Amino acid sequence: MAGRLEGQGIIVTGAGRGIGAEMAKALAGEGAGVMVADIEAGLAQETASAIEASGGRAVPFRVDVRDRAGNVAMVEAAVRAFGGLDAIFNNAGIAQVRPFLDITEEDWRRVMDVNGLGVLIGMQEAARQMIKQGRGGSIVNTASIAGKQGYEPLAHYSASKFGVVALTQAGARAFAKHGIRCNAICPGVVATDMWKLIDKGFQEIGATKQDNEAFDMFAKTALLGRGSRPDDLAGVAVFLASGESAFMTGQTLLVDGGIVLD
Ligand SMILES: NC(=O)c1ccc[n+]([C@@H]2O[C@H](COP(=O)([O-])OP(=O)(O)OC[C@H]3O[C@@H](n4cnc5c(N)ncnc54)[C@H](O)[C@@H]3O)[C@@H](O)[C@H]2O)c1
């Protein structure tokens, strides 16, 4: 049986590990050619090899999403590999735990550069290519529950994710006339390396005492009774790339097990 994304060319940034890697595997599993883009070339290669080993099509690509020329080269390479660009997942992101009063200008710029500017440039360069192709496309950004609620020791991270929601809505309005849809996914608390770092950050500022305590604190507020695994985001990623979501744009989908109700 043909996959739901057969013949599509799709870029996933931050796909070397965590949520992005699971999205890339699920998209490839539905027949898409996937560019596995990450700042860590070795991780990109690992995910791409895993996809190829299970019979999918994947190309690793080293990119720093903050870099304009890198994004242009990434889109060009995807078009060369797959014959066109149908969807991009602007998923790469970083987090940092800092008490509100301690956030410095440098902290702000570092987080905003990856999570905000990186998404803006990714959207721009993908949309430019999709407009040129003239057959529409799907842009999907990874926001967060922190794009819906401001969390105190993650104020600058939350601001960056509110920014991702704004870019998604503005992009939807900008590109609808070209048949390009822009939507965002808001994960909750997902067991990835990012959460290990957040968990450690909570301990460093004295908010928690032991490993996983912060994760469990958030996870137990989920109506569905647990924290997320990276593959909890896979189904919605396939849905947003596919024609099944053809009449949706400018939306932010919370996929968090019911932590934030919106
Ligand atoms: N883990 C969670 O609980 C959670 C919750 C909500 C939202 N998110 C968001 O989901 C996305 C993925 O998070 P994750 O938990 O898988 O994180 P992760 O740290 O496990 O993976 C992030 C990946 O992005 C890559 N990356 C970082 N900076 C980059 C850059 N400048 N250019 C290209 N690649 C870069 C990293 O090398 C890494 O492979 C992020 O945008 C994150 O903010 C995560």
Side-chain angles (χ1 to χ4, degrees), residues 2 11-12 18 48-49 74 85 96 117 130 147 153 189 210 213 218 230:
I11 296 171
V12 184
S49 300
M74 174 175 75
L85 182 65
Q96 183 190 33
L117 183 63
M130 289 169 181
V189 292
Q210 332 168 25
E213 192 181 333
F218 278 91

Side-chain angles (χ1 to χ4, degrees), residues 75-128:
V75 170
E76 280 171 4
V79 172
R80 260 198 315 278
F82 308 126
L85 182 65
D86 297 286
I88 186 166
F89 286 75
N90 294 303
N91 167 77
I94 58 169
Q96 183 190 33
V97 175
R98 275 273 187 280
F100 196 106
L101 290 176
D102 297 343
I103 295 166
T104 64
E105 289 83 339
E106 199 192 328
D107 294 334
W108 173 269
R109 288 193 190 104
R110 202 165 58 83
V111 170
M112 281 294 173
D113 262 9
V114 179
N115 298 3
L117 183 63
V119 171
L120 173 72
I121 298 177
M123 291 178 76
Q124 289 173 321
E125 296 311 326
R128 260 190 251 290

Side-chain angles (χ1 to χ4, degrees), residues 13-21 37-40 43 63-66 90-95 114-115 142-146 157 161 185-195 198 215 230:
T13 70
R17 67 178 189 216
I19 295 169
D38 204 285
I39 196 166
E40 300 279 348
L43 293 179
V63 73
D64 181 340
V65 294
R66 298 167 294 188
N90 294 303
N91 167 77
I94 58 169
V114 179
N115 298 3
T142 304
S144 169
I145 50 171
Y157 177 78
K161 293 299 187 178
I185 300 173
C186 293
V189 292
V190 193
T192 65
D193 286 1
M194 177 178 280
W195 243 100
I198 296 173
F215 185 87

Side-chain angles (χ1 to χ4, degrees), residues 174-199:
F175 306 134
K177 58 181 171 290
H178 301 288
I180 300 167
R181 304 181 295 111
C182 299
N183 293 290
I185 300 173
C186 293
V189 292
V190 193
T192 65
D193 286 1
M194 177 178 280
W195 243 100
K196 285 185 195 146
L197 185 144
I198 296 173
D199 215 76

Side-chain angles (χ1 to χ4, degrees), residues 97-99 153 195-217:
V97 175
R98 275 273 187 280
W195 243 100
K196 285 185 195 146
L197 185 144
I198 296 173
D199 215 76
K200 201 159 143 260
F202 269 76
Q203 290 181 61
E204 279 164 8
I205 65 168
T208 55
K209 295 205 161 41
Q210 332 168 25
D211 289 352
N212 296 323
E213 192 181 333
F215 185 87
D216 292 343
M217 197 167 72

